[in-house]
Amino acid sequence: MNSQLILGIESSCDETGVALVRAPQGGGVPTLVAHALHSQIDMHQAYGGVVPELASRDHIRRVLPLTGAVLAEAGCALAEVDVVAYTRGPGLAGALLVGAGVACALGAALGRPVLGVHHLEGHLLSPFMSADPPEFPFIALLVSGGHTQLMRVDGVGRYGLLGETIDDAAGEAFDKSAKLMGLGYPGGPALSRLAEQGDPAAFKLPRPLLHSGNLDFSFAGLKTAVLTQAKKLGPDLEARKADLAASTQAAIVDVLVKKTLAALEGTGLSRIVVAGGVGANRLLRAQLNAACERRGVRVHYPELHLCTDNGAMIAMAAAMRLQAGREAPNRDYAFDVKPRWPLDMLA
């Protein structure tokens, strides 16, 4: 056998993702064969946020039909799958258990090994599926949901934490600020769209920890400043909402860019990877691209459709861990999940 076919299942929060990745034996970057994704946004909109029980029930309904669709797109039979990978954590416990249970059941039925994958490692390695894949080592800016971290990445499973958020993450700052402005759910993308119509210099908002001398982040104070400004505007908020959105986005992006560049300078590396949902933000990409071009530094992103949670990144992470010898095939179909699982604790 000169390659392995890996089925990946993602169910950590409000998106059900399934994908097939083919990994060459003996090295070479694995390739995405097919993937399918179902988002629960419409279901959770009525509640203004993710309802864990509803999320879990929807994963149950979606995961097997999506698996069938991916196999059909790839022209593969289920029996051709060599490894079944799933998101073990972090995430919502009930949602994680759905993906883990289905993956281990499939593995047991097929007699194939299973592999639990770290959700953030999936994001971290997702740019390897892009048209411009990175090379190790690099600085990684992970901006996914409740996570904002800067990592030094020397190889698969070789991650050193340089800085992280001490309260709200960047994604939470986007979402919570959007909610304060009445922009609905999901707030982050809505705020970014509205910001394109506003003046980013209209309001002077704080850049928390920008001059702290370390690489940690804090966005809770920014959220409070947005709330204070919204209250000051009162009945004028509706007319100035685009300006407030633009100013909020500018503050978040400014901190992310400057801290990332500081990490680059502190380590002496010359390559950056940006991964996670906030990595799709246009302003963040534009400012990082410009800053890196001036410094002669390479910056890599996942393809836009792979920035949010997806099964492809889980299958890819599993493939790269197996190739690197970080994991051995596992046919113990008992499983657990890790709702809280620091990436720097991953071997």
Side-chain angles (χ1 to χ4, degrees):
M1 185 189 301
N2 55 15
S3 68
Q4 281 191 316
L5 191 63
I6 297 166
L7 179 71
I9 298 174
E10 155 62 20
S11 67
S12 65
C13 190
D14 60 346
E15 281 151 328
T16 316
V18 180
L20 283 169
V21 162
R22 190 170 293 281
Q25 297 279 62
V29 178
T31 55
L32 177 61
V33 179
H35 80 107
L37 183 69
H38 174 77
S39 171
Q40 301 176 0
I41 284 176
D42 290 345
M43 181 176 70
H44 295 295
Q45 270 180 338
Y47 306 94
V50 177
V51 181
E53 178 66 19
L54 294 180
S56 301
R57 289 174 181 271
D58 201 59
H59 288 310
I60 292 170
R61 285 191 291 268
R62 306 290 179 179
V63 64
L64 290 179
L66 285 173
T67 302
V70 166
L71 290 166
E73 182 186 340
C76 295
L78 185 59
E80 295 177 57
V81 170
D82 297 299
V83 179
V84 184
Y86 62 94
T87 305
R88 189 180 179 195
L92 300 173
L96 290 167
L97 285 167
V98 174
V102 169
C104 290
L106 286 174
L110 296 168
R112 300 289 192 273
V114 295
L115 180 58
V117 172
H118 196 293
H119 178 83
L120 293 180
E121 185 174 39
H123 278 301
L124 185 69
L125 299 177
S126 60
F128 283 90
M129 291 182 284
S130 72
D132 180 29
E135 296 177 2
F136 299 112
F138 53 78
I139 294 297
L141 173 64
L142 275 172
V143 274
S144 167
H147 304 274
T148 298
Q149 297 175 321
L150 280 165
M151 311 285 297
R152 178 184 173 122
V153 179
D154 289 300
V156 177
R158 298 166 61 196
Y159 312 131
L161 181 65
L162 301 176
E164 62 183 339
T165 184
I166 61 175
D167 44 51
D168 284 355
E172 291 173 313
F174 270 108
D175 289 339
K176 291 178 179 180
S177 296
K179 193 168 186 178
L180 293 172
M181 297 178 210
L183 298 181
Y185 171 85
L191 187 147
S192 296
R193 286 192 298 271
L194 183 60
E196 293 179 6
Q197 306 167 30
D199 176 6
F203 300 102
K204 190 175 181 180
L205 296 175
R207 271 70 169 161
L209 297 188
L210 189 58
H211 304 292
S212 62
N214 60 34
L215 297 174
D216 287 334
F217 300 89
S218 169
F219 292 104
L222 174 61
K223 174 196 66 181
T224 303
V226 172
L227 174 61
T228 301
Q229 189 61 62
K231 285 182 176 177
K232 279 183 183 177
L233 288 169
D236 295 327
L237 174 61
E238 194 61 37
R240 303 294 308 280
K241 197 177 285 187
D243 287 341
L244 185 56
S247 299
T248 303
Q249 176 176 257
I252 296 169
V253 168
D254 194 23
V255 172
L256 293 176
V257 170
K258 288 181 177 174
K259 291 273 186 175
T260 302
L261 294 175
L264 199 70
E265 292 163 9
T267 58
L269 297 180
S270 58
R271 196 179 298 271
I272 296 171
V273 159
V274 182
V278 181
N281 183 274
R282 290 182 182 181
L283 183 65
L284 176 61
R285 289 193 176 209
Q287 290 199 5
L288 260 182
N289 288 344
C292 289
E293 188 175 351
R294 289 194 298 271
R295 290 166 172 77
V297 171
R298 297 293 309 281
V299 58
H300 303 264
Y301 309 91
E303 301 295 343
L304 280 172
H305 68 286
L306 296 178
C307 283
T308 55
D309 298 348
N310 60 83
M313 70 185 197
I314 301 305
M316 185 69 171
M320 294 183 71
R321 288 189 71 80
L322 290 167
Q323 282 183 331
R326 290 281 171 178
E327 298 283 348
N330 173 26
R331 286 182 168 82
D332 178 3
Y333 302 115
F335 60 89
D336 64 355
V337 295
K338 295 187 173 185
R340 296 184 181 275
W341 189 9
L343 181 56
D344 58 317
M345 298 300 290
L346 189 64

Coordinates of all heavy atoms in Angstrom, one line a residue, residues 81-86 97 99-116 329-337:
V81 N -11.4 2.9 3.6 CA -10.9 3.8 4.6 C -9.9 3.0 5.5 O -10.2 1.9 5.9 CB -12.0 4.4 5.5 CG1 -11.4 5.1 6.7 CG2 -12.9 5.3 4.7
D82 N -8.7 3.6 5.7 CA -7.6 2.9 6.5 C -7.6 3.4 7.9 O -7.2 2.6 8.8 CB -6.3 3.2 5.8 CG -6.2 2.6 4.4 OD1 -6.3 1.4 4.3 OD2 -6.0 3.4 3.5
V83 N -8.0 4.6 8.2 CA -7.9 5.2 9.5 C -9.2 6.1 9.7 O -9.5 6.8 8.8 CB -6.7 6.0 9.8 CG1 -6.7 6.6 11.2 CG2 -5.4 5.2 9.6
V84 N -9.8 6.0 10.9 CA -10.9 7.0 11.2 C -10.5 7.9 12.3 O -10.1 7.5 13.4 CB -12.2 6.2 11.6 CG1 -13.3 7.2 11.8 CG2 -12.5 5.1 10.6
A85 N -10.4 9.2 11.9 CA -10.0 10.2 12.9 C -11.2 11.1 13.3 O -12.2 11.2 12.6 CB -8.9 11.1 12.2
Y86 N -11.1 11.6 14.5 CA -12.2 12.4 15.0 C -11.6 13.5 16.0 O -10.5 13.4 16.5 CB -13.2 11.6 15.8 CG -12.7 10.9 17.0 CD1 -12.7 11.4 18.3 CD2 -12.0 9.6 16.9 CE1 -12.2 10.8 19.4 CE2 -11.5 9.0 18.0 CZ -11.6 9.6 19.2 OH -11.0 8.9 20.3
L97 N -18.6 14.0 22.0 CA -19.0 12.6 22.2 C -19.7 12.0 20.9 O -19.5 10.8 20.6 CB -19.9 12.4 23.4 CG -19.1 12.6 24.7 CD1 -20.1 12.7 25.9 CD2 -18.2 11.4 25.0
G99 N -19.1 12.8 17.7 CA -18.1 12.5 16.7 C -17.2 11.3 17.1 O -16.9 10.4 16.3
A100 N -16.9 11.3 18.4 CA -16.0 10.2 18.9 C -16.7 8.9 18.8 O -16.2 7.9 18.4 CB -15.6 10.5 20.3
G101 N -18.0 8.9 19.2 CA -18.8 7.6 19.2 C -19.0 7.1 17.8 O -18.8 5.9 17.6
V102 N -19.3 7.9 16.9 CA -19.5 7.5 15.5 C -18.1 7.0 14.9 O -18.1 5.9 14.3 CB -20.1 8.6 14.6 CG1 -20.0 8.2 13.1 CG2 -21.5 8.9 15.0
A103 N -17.1 7.7 15.2 CA -15.8 7.3 14.6 C -15.3 6.0 15.2 O -14.8 5.1 14.4 CB -14.7 8.4 14.9
C104 N -15.5 5.8 16.5 CA -15.0 4.5 17.1 C -15.9 3.4 16.7 O -15.5 2.2 16.5 CB -15.0 4.7 18.6 SG -13.6 5.7 19.1
A105 N -17.2 3.6 16.5 CA -18.1 2.6 16.0 C -17.7 2.2 14.5 O -17.7 1.0 14.2 CB -19.6 3.1 16.0
L106 N -17.4 3.2 13.7 CA -17.0 2.8 12.3 C -15.7 2.1 12.3 O -15.5 1.1 11.6 CB -16.8 4.1 11.5 CG -18.1 4.8 11.1 CD1 -17.8 6.2 10.4 CD2 -18.9 4.0 10.1
G107 N -14.8 2.5 13.2 CA -13.5 1.8 13.3 C -13.6 0.4 13.7 O -13.0 -0.5 13.1
A108 N -14.5 0.2 14.7 CA -14.7 -1.2 15.2 C -15.4 -2.1 14.1 O -15.0 -3.2 13.9 CB -15.6 -1.2 16.5
A109 N -16.4 -1.5 13.4 CA -17.1 -2.3 12.4 C -16.1 -2.6 11.2 O -16.3 -3.7 10.7 CB -18.3 -1.4 11.9
L110 N -15.2 -1.7 10.9 CA -14.3 -2.0 9.8 C -13.1 -2.7 10.2 O -12.3 -3.2 9.3 CB -13.9 -0.6 9.1 CG -15.0 0.2 8.5 CD1 -14.5 1.6 8.2 CD2 -15.5 -0.5 7.2
G111 N -12.8 -2.8 11.5 CA -11.5 -3.3 12.0 C -10.4 -2.4 11.7 O -9.2 -2.8 11.4
R112 N -10.6 -1.1 11.7 CA -9.6 -0.1 11.3 C -9.2 0.7 12.6 O -10.0 0.9 13.5 CB -10.1 0.9 10.3 CG -10.5 0.2 8.9 CD -9.3 -0.3 8.2 NE -9.7 -0.6 6.8 CZ -10.2 -1.8 6.4 NH1 -10.3 -2.8 7.3 NH2 -10.5 -2.0 5.2
P113 N -8.0 1.2 12.6 CA -7.6 2.0 13.7 C -8.3 3.4 13.8 O -8.7 3.9 12.7 CB -6.1 2.2 13.5 CG -5.8 2.0 12.1 CD -6.9 1.0 11.6
V114 N -8.4 3.9 15.0 CA -9.0 5.3 15.1 C -8.0 6.2 15.8 O -7.0 5.7 16.4 CB -10.3 5.2 16.0 CG1 -11.4 4.4 15.3 CG2 -10.0 4.6 17.4
L115 N -8.2 7.5 15.6 CA -7.3 8.5 16.2 C -8.0 9.7 16.6 O -8.7 10.3 15.8 CB -6.3 8.8 15.1 CG -5.2 9.8 15.4 CD1 -4.4 9.4 16.6 CD2 -4.3 10.1 14.2
G116 N -7.9 10.1 17.9 CA -8.5 11.3 18.4 C -7.6 12.5 18.2 O -6.4 12.4 18.5
P329 N -1.1 3.3 15.2 CA -2.5 2.9 15.0 C -3.1 2.3 16.3 O -2.4 1.6 17.0 CB -2.3 1.8 13.9 CG -1.0 2.2 13.2 CD -0.1 2.8 14.3
N330 N -4.3 2.7 16.5 CA -5.0 2.3 17.8 C -6.3 1.6 17.5 O -7.2 2.2 16.9 CB -5.2 3.6 18.6 CG -6.1 3.4 19.8 OD1 -6.1 2.3 20.4 ND2 -6.8 4.4 20.3
R331 N -6.4 0.4 18.0 CA -7.6 -0.4 17.8 C -8.4 -0.6 19.1 O -9.2 -1.5 19.2 CB -7.3 -1.7 17.1 CG -7.0 -1.6 15.6 CD -6.8 -2.9 14.9 NE -6.8 -2.8 13.5 CZ -5.7 -2.4 12.8 NH1 -4.6 -2.0 13.4 NH2 -5.8 -2.3 11.4
D332 N -8.1 0.3 20.1 CA -8.9 0.3 21.3 C -10.1 1.2 21.1 O -9.9 2.4 21.0 CB -8.0 0.8 22.5 CG -8.8 0.8 23.8 OD1 -10.0 0.4 23.8 OD2 -8.2 1.3 24.8
Y333 N -11.2 0.7 21.0 CA -12.4 1.5 20.5 C -13.1 2.1 21.7 O -14.2 2.8 21.5 CB -13.3 0.7 19.7 CG -12.6 0.1 18.5 CD1 -12.4 -1.3 18.3 CD2 -12.1 1.0 17.5 CE1 -11.8 -1.8 17.2 CE2 -11.4 0.5 16.4 CZ -11.2 -0.9 16.2 OH -10.5 -1.4 15.2
A334 N -12.6 2.0 22.9 CA -13.1 2.8 24.1 C -12.6 4.2 23.8 O -11.5 4.4 23.3 CB -12.6 2.2 25.4
F335 N -13.4 5.2 24.2 CA -13.0 6.6 23.9 C -13.4 7.5 25.0 O -14.3 7.2 25.8 CB -13.7 7.0 22.6 CG -15.2 7.0 22.6 CD1 -15.9 8.1 23.0 CD2 -15.9 5.9 22.2 CE1 -17.3 8.1 23.0 CE2 -17.3 5.9 22.2 CZ -18.0 7.0 22.6
D336 N -12.7 8.6 25.1 CA -13.1 9.7 25.9 C -12.9 11.0 25.1 O -12.4 11.0 24.0 CB -12.3 9.7 27.2 CG -10.8 10.0 27.0 OD1 -10.4 10.0 25.8 OD2 -10.1 10.1 28.0
V337 N -13.4 12.1 25.7 CA -13.2 13.4 25.0 C -12.5 14.4 26.0 O -12.6 14.1 27.2 CB -14.5 14.0 24.5 CG1 -15.0 13.1 23.4 CG2 -15.5 14.1 25.6

